[in-house]
Amino acid sequence: MSYLCGKYVFMETSIQEQIQLLRQRLEQANRAYYVDNAPTMSDYEFDLLLKQLEELERAHPEYRSATSPTAHVGSDLGRNKAFARVKHLVPMYSLRNSYNEADVMQWYGTLPARTEVVSELKFDGLSVELVYEKGVLTHALTRGDGAEGDDVISNIRTIPTVPQVLTGDVPEQMLVRGEVLMPWDVFNHLNEEREEAGLLLFANPRNAASGTLKMQDSQEVKRRGLICQLYQLYVLDGNENDQRFGMTHSERISHLREWGFPVSDYSRLCHSAQEVFEYLSLWNDKRHSLPFATDGVVLKVNDLNAQEQLGFTAKYPLWAIAYKFTAEQQSTTLRDIVYQVGRTGVVTPVAILDPVQLSGTNVMRATLNNEDFIRQLGIHIGDQVWVEKGGEIIPKIIGKVDDETTNQSESTAYVFPRYCPECGTALVRNGDEAAWRCPNESGCPPQIQGRIIHFVSRKAMNIEGLGDETIALLWKEGLVHSPADLYDLKKSDLSRLERLGDKSAHNIISQIERSKQVPWERVLFAIGIRMVGETTAKKIARVFRSIDSLQWATCEQLQAVDDVGEQIAQNIIAFFGEMKNLEELTRLKAAGLRMESDEERTMLSDILQGQSIVISGVFRHHSRDEYKALIEAHGGKNSGSISKKTSFLLTGDNMGPEKRKKAETLGIKMMTEEEFRKLIQED
Ligand code: AMP
Ligand code: ZN
């Protein structure tokens, strides 16, 4: 089977075999998309295949099957039952997809005259169903296979805008459906972190959201900052009550809004096909300015009775249709693969392409992620590949165009280089990491220069005048090997260099001097501990107010900081475990950099002297970080987990059930926010 001009071409294959092949491909693709969160084909390609299968099944009803991908929704239920499976009270359907206005027009034509249609954005995340009983959130289910889903309520609770308890006049029992999303900035930040850690990158925010929602560790889910948009309400109270909450889709959405649910501000009630098409063309462009990903528009019949009359197929409602924006993808030739070495030594394969226009820019390079990704796609130099530029910063290769034109060398498996392209050191790949790394931290030029570039960058030490090229020059001249060397530079060192005049030499020196005033939290970011980004550094610096206290912190103490999980804690400990880092820090300190917080810590009392305190839950009077600071200001110590040594637990709302159980078993005292405030005489 090969893919040509938007259709799969079969040669000498029976209809039955064609159907079989298409079903197989679609099932594989469904699994990759919904369960593994690593799609193997574009949505567009998937829908083409599906359409082809539908046509074959229609022409040959003898081969129809209830298990065909045309008859059921793609399932997100994995093999391991990590979450409780709960039946949907109302089955969750998919939506019929269309890619052109003709299809939309055709659907519109099937509706009775003067039917009102609500046009909404199609959010590109994963669907979730919130179940409320008497106004209390009791389940949060994924679509699953449409009939039952995974209950991911503990993860949904980390989304602050999802109401847990509703007050006022609400249905006895109701279902609120919507989409869980990862905003672009969160997504880009997460991928940067993952790149630094040598982890596999998420292909798009949808996969990232879906991978995140299926994680076991709710703390990590919370850190990742998912958001939610709700777009449907079912009232299950029986007829009479049903009417009370409106009999149109738009009224129901207004109720959701009143009750405090995050609902879309971008929907529009349309009264004609013209209005619908205006909406489509408006959002085709405007969607790029939204903070989250959308992949189309959903059109829904507004009147609920009319919806009921139109009904469903096995897979889709007939009262709605999705219009998908054509993704910005182009095919082009893969000319070469080059290898880039980052500041942490990760070697990233980069595709060199015949230039193509994508969303207004000329694309010549695109990321290929890592060795496994290239293997999975089965691409070779010379192949036609699809390249896509979403809202992500870097364009990416998403697949191979066509089996027919494939390079003849297909049989030879792709091999990743074994040696660093920059310094020749043998590369290493740790068991569960996707990335190859150059271990020659102290001798590999892009790693050394990368660390210095990071150190002087705007959000770190903000040393202006030291561009990448100047840093490369300083390194080549043997003047700067590490950030600390910057502080030994003299004006004469610089002014004798080609390209640097007296004036810029003077400027650079005074910029370097000025950087000694940069606060501790940014110094902490600048020294480049793996996965300690700008925000994490800030949070750490608020709790560990000097480099000395950070250096001696235990894994447990580190994890008491919001945002710091086990991985980051271990990175910090490993960083301080290395002699060359300690030497570097000593030199930076001697140069006069700020290695402690300037606000003098005012000790308020010693009432908590010798006590080890664990905080859990959400508080009213102060943030968690403020309570942590208060504990220290009263002489106490913060700890991340409960042990026999814990003096007491400071408990807020929604405290984790695990923590509560542990505290109870160990007989640890629990103190409410009010009791604590009395204790420190704040109240
Ligand atoms: P598909 O993933 O192609 O089967 O499209 C159906 C999915 O679109 C639903 O399961 C929802 O998760 C999602 N969707 C996104 N935005 C909306 C919306 N405004 N209304 C209904 N479904 C939506
Ligand atoms: Zn190297």
Side-chain angles (χ1 to χ4, degrees), residues 185-226:
D185 57 345
V186 177
F187 167 75
N188 286 324
H189 183 74
L190 177 65
N191 261 355
E192 276 166 30
E193 271 183 8
R194 291 177 71 87
E195 189 166 10
E196 297 230 320
L199 297 170
L200 207 63
L201 299 190
F202 284 115
N204 53 46
R206 199 211 78 85
N207 297 134
S210 155
T212 302
L213 203 61
K214 290 267 175 137
M215 288 194 332
Q216 297 294 302
D217 177 359
S218 296
Q219 239 0 72
E220 176 62 17
V221 177
K222 182 169 169 203
R223 196 179 81 83
R224 294 215 184 152
L226 296 173

Side-chain angles (χ1 to χ4, degrees), residues 7-157:
K7 217 172 168 76
Y8 276 76
V9 181
F10 295 96
M11 271 159 272
E12 295 169 41
T13 324
S14 74
I15 297 290
Q16 196 178 3
E17 280 168 340
Q18 291 182 21
I19 290 182
Q20 224 46 47
L21 269 171
L22 283 166
R23 284 182 185 160
Q24 246 173 34
R25 274 232 163 166
L26 287 162
E27 290 298 359
Q28 276 165 5
N30 261 335
R31 183 152 207 101
Y33 187 90
Y34 288 110
V35 180
D36 304 333
N37 298 311
T40 47
M41 60 174 77
S42 68
D43 286 11
Y44 183 64
E45 196 181 337
F46 181 89
D47 288 326
L48 282 178
L49 282 176
L50 193 70
K51 205 161 163 196
Q52 198 173 355
L53 178 59
E54 273 168 0
E55 279 165 15
L56 282 174
E57 289 178 350
R58 202 173 304 131
H60 303 275
E62 67 274 24
Y63 298 130
R64 276 198 197 153
S65 149
T67 58
S68 169
T70 55
H72 66 85
V73 303
S75 170
D76 64 59
L77 302 174
R79 288 183 198 92
N80 63 331
K81 294 196 171 180
F83 298 96
R85 297 252 163 103
V86 177
K87 282 219 160 24
H88 291 297
L89 295 171
V90 178
M92 279 180 96
Y93 288 84
S94 177
L95 287 168
R96 202 181 120 199
N97 281 334
S98 65
Y99 286 89
N100 52 55
E101 300 194 344
D103 286 350
V104 173
M105 204 53 220
Q106 192 252 333
W107 171 78
Y108 197 81
T110 63
L111 308 177
R114 285 189 297 282
T115 303
E116 283 182 342
V117 166
V118 180
S119 303
E120 297 177 354
L121 292 177
K122 187 171 190 296
F123 305 106
D124 201 10
L126 71 154
S127 39
V128 66
E129 174 179 83
L130 310 175
V131 183
Y132 288 84
E133 313 267 352
K134 295 191 170 45
V136 178
L137 178 65
T138 54
H139 298 289
L141 311 178
T142 66
R143 186 167 78 180
D145 60 6
E148 57 175 9
D150 280 334
D151 194 348
V152 290
I153 189 165
S154 51
N155 290 341
I156 288 293
R157 286 195 209 276

Side-chain angles (χ1 to χ4, degrees), residues 420 422-423 425 438 440 444 447:
C420 175
E422 299 283 346
C423 73
T425 306
C438 167
N440 183 15
C444 183
Q447 294 189 55

Side-chain angles (χ1 to χ4, degrees), residues 412-424:
T412 54
Y414 164 79
V415 257
F416 202 87
R418 289 290 169 262
Y419 298 95
C420 175
E422 299 283 346
C423 73

Side-chain angles (χ1 to χ4, degrees), residues 103 132 193 224 253 282 296 398 471 507 513 563 597 678:
D103 286 350
Y132 288 84
E193 271 183 8
R224 294 215 184 152
I253 298 298
L282 173 73
I398 52 163
I471 288 173
N507 279 344
E513 193 56 34
D563 263 22
S597 184
K678 282 215 176 79

Side-chain angles (χ1 to χ4, degrees), residues 390-403:
E392 304 95 336
I393 302 158
I394 315 160
K396 59 192 176 192
I397 301 294
I398 52 163
K400 187 158 75 166
V401 172
D402 176 343
D403 300 351

